[in-house]
Amino acid sequence: MDGSRNIATLHACLNDGADAFGAVTAIKQRLASRHGIGHATIEVEYGACADGSAAHRH
């Protein structure tokens, strides 16, 4: 985290039954190709956000 590369951390709220591995793979590919982000930590969630914030619920 020295500022030499772009990284991301995010929550991916998926529909019940969605393929989590496929979704994470697609998100990482899009972040890399469109935004130059070579490393992303993605927290997969179903339903309400685990952080409990109403702003993160879908």
Side-chain angles (χ1 to χ4, degrees):
M1 303 241 226
D2 61 2
S4 65
R5 65 183 184 152
N6 295 324
I7 63 171
T9 182
L10 60 103
H11 295 223
C13 296
L14 304 179
N15 293 326
D16 288 337
D19 173 19
F21 180 80
V24 169
T25 299
I27 292 166
K28 287 185 177 215
Q29 289 173 346
R30 181 172 288 190
L31 289 171
S33 67
R34 293 191 182 180
H35 304 287
I37 296 174
H39 177 79
T41 301
I42 302 169
E43 182 177 340
V44 174
E45 299 179 344
Y46 297 91
C49 176
D51 286 346
S53 171
H56 293 358
R57 292 184 183 151
H58 60 101

